[in-house]
Amino acid sequence: MKAIHKAAGIAATAGTAAALFLAPPAYADTDTPFGKGNCSGRLQGFTTSDQSGSWEQLDVSSGCNANEPLVLQIQTELLFYGIASNGSRTEFVGPTTGNHLVKGPPNARQMLAQASAPPTGFDQYCASATVYYSGVAGDPSGGGTLTQESGVVCWS
């Protein structure tokens, strides 16, 4: 059974996860894997549509494999913004809008964080994700939370 949580343009689905960054864009593909070891994530940005119209979609999936026996919770911070032709930046999801943290259900091994944006008015779209895995053994600091960052990914 999938649990879906929605808040201000963000959805979290038990099954896959994601995160946040404030650095200048490092141009990359719209399908970017990040992390390594027993836990990892993938940031995907793309244009999609249905009978209602089109929009820009951000999907950040994350999770841990069976070699990571204890995952207490996965949380994802997102940053998603558009850049207009004059260089101005509009944040859709992030710290300014206050809707950037997506929490997965307790003990879920995977999660999906999603956000959407208008399809017009921007020359490019940029996003980043930071995923926090609580309770995993792979935390190099021994503090019980492993942090993985996607870096900034842009597409047009």
Side-chain angles (χ1 to χ4, degrees):
M1 180 173 165
K2 288 188 175 182
I4 298 178
H5 309 280
K6 291 190 177 186
I10 300 176
T13 304
T16 323
L20 155 79
F21 237 82
L22 298 174
Y27 298 94
D29 292 336
T30 60
D31 186 358
T32 304
F34 61 96
K36 60 182 177 177
N38 293 331
C39 302
S40 62
R42 179 173 297 278
L43 185 149
Q44 296 174 295
F46 53 94
T47 302
T48 190
S49 64
D50 64 13
Q51 66 277 5
S52 302
S54 65
W55 63 92
E56 291 300 315
Q57 181 71 36
L58 171 64
D59 288 357
V60 180
S61 58
S62 60
C64 298
N65 63 31
N67 293 326
E68 191 61 67
L70 180 61
V71 179
L72 298 178
Q73 187 173 42
I74 301 172
Q75 297 184 46
T76 301
E77 285 184 89
L78 299 175
L79 177 62
F80 185 25
Y81 57 92
I83 300 175
S85 58
N86 65 3
S88 66
R89 178 174 142 166
T90 300
E91 187 175 289
F92 309 117
V93 176
T96 303
T97 59
N99 61 351
H100 63 289
L101 182 63
V102 181
K103 295 181 180 183
N107 302 311
R109 301 186 62 73
Q110 299 178 344
M111 119 178 215
L112 174 65
Q114 298 178 301
S116 58
T120 58
F122 302 96
D123 287 354
Q124 64 181 352
Y125 295 84
C126 297
S128 66
T130 302
V131 180
Y132 305 97
Y133 303 90
S134 298
V136 299
D139 172 25
S141 70
T145 300
L146 174 64
T147 302
Q148 295 179 333
E149 300 172 334
S150 68
V152 177
V153 179
C154 296
W155 68 98
S156 54

